[in-house]
């Protein structure tokens, strides 16, 4: 997916103005596969760094593009997600994702206003296997 198509999808989801300036978006546009649909983006603190979590119809992508550290992308298959939880609070909302292998991803200080979009994205059916 190119950056222009990514920006258009973010506008459709009404999140463009919240994330258009994030440097992780360039990396996200490069790792999204042809035909993969972005359904949600949020940011949070994971392992001591502010990272971006992108939910697509197929995968969850954890992106880090720090100024001084190397860029990294962690891929979680949607069918590998065992459970997820979004705790919305006035301040300091959090997201927890647990995979079937027992790995846990916790994002603190997330945008509480994105709870409904995140839950909608996680409930979307997985695309049929080719």
């Amino acid at each position: 997916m190119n950056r222009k198509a990514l920006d258009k999808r973010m506008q459709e989801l009404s999140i463009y103005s919240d994330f258009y300036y994030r440097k992780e978006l360039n990396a996200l546009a490069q790792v999204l596969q042809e035909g993969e649909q972005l359904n949600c983006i949020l940011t949070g603190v994971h392992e001591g760094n502010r990272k971006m979590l992108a939910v697509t119809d197929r995968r969850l992508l954890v992106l880090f593009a720090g100024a001084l550290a190397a860029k990294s992308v962690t891929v979680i298959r949607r069918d590998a997600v065992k459970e997820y939880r979004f705790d919305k609070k006035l301040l300091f909302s959090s997201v927890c994702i647990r995979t079937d292998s027992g790995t846990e991803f916790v994002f603190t200080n997330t945008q509480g206003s994105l709870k409904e979009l995140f839950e909608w994205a996680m409930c979307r059916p997985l695309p049929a296997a080719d």
Side-chain angles (χ1 to χ4, degrees):
M1 175 180 279
N2 62 40
R3 180 61 194 262
K4 186 175 179 180
L6 177 60
D7 289 347
K8 182 178 184 231
R9 180 61 180 158
M10 289 177 16
Q11 289 172 349
E12 291 169 359
L13 295 170
S14 300
I15 57 174
Y16 178 78
S17 62
D18 295 332
F19 296 103
Y20 73 92
Y21 58 90
R22 299 290 306 193
K23 55 190 160 203
E24 293 92 343
L25 291 178
N26 292 329
L28 178 60
Q30 293 174 355
V31 297
L32 287 175
Q33 299 170 348
E34 188 67 35
E36 189 170 21
Q37 183 175 14
L38 178 69
N39 290 327
C40 180
I41 294 176
L42 57 87
T43 61
V45 177
H46 174 257
E47 297 177 341
N49 294 301
R50 180 147 297 273
K51 297 181 182 179
M52 177 178 281
L53 173 65
V55 181
T56 75
D57 58 340
R58 301 176 193 164
R59 308 178 291 168
L60 281 75
L61 304 164
V62 180
L63 300 112
F64 176 66
L68 301 175
K71 295 173 176 52
S72 69
V73 177
T74 303
V75 177
I76 308 164
R77 292 184 345 267
R78 282 263 321 275
D79 61 357
V81 174
K82 182 177 180 181
E83 69 178 278
Y84 60 89
R85 183 179 69 249
F86 194 117
D87 293 323
K88 183 178 178 178
K89 299 179 182 174
L90 182 61
L91 299 172
F92 309 117
S93 296
S94 64
V95 171
C96 179
I97 299 165
R98 188 169 291 123
T99 65
D100 53 10
S101 66
T103 306
E104 188 172 86
F105 296 85
V106 178
F107 297 86
T108 57
N109 299 335
T110 61
Q111 298 87 356
S113 61
L114 295 176
K115 179 180 181 176
E116 291 77 21
L117 182 63
F118 174 78
E119 290 178 344
W120 171 82
M122 292 300 292
C123 289
R124 306 298 306 152
L126 293 170
D130 294 333

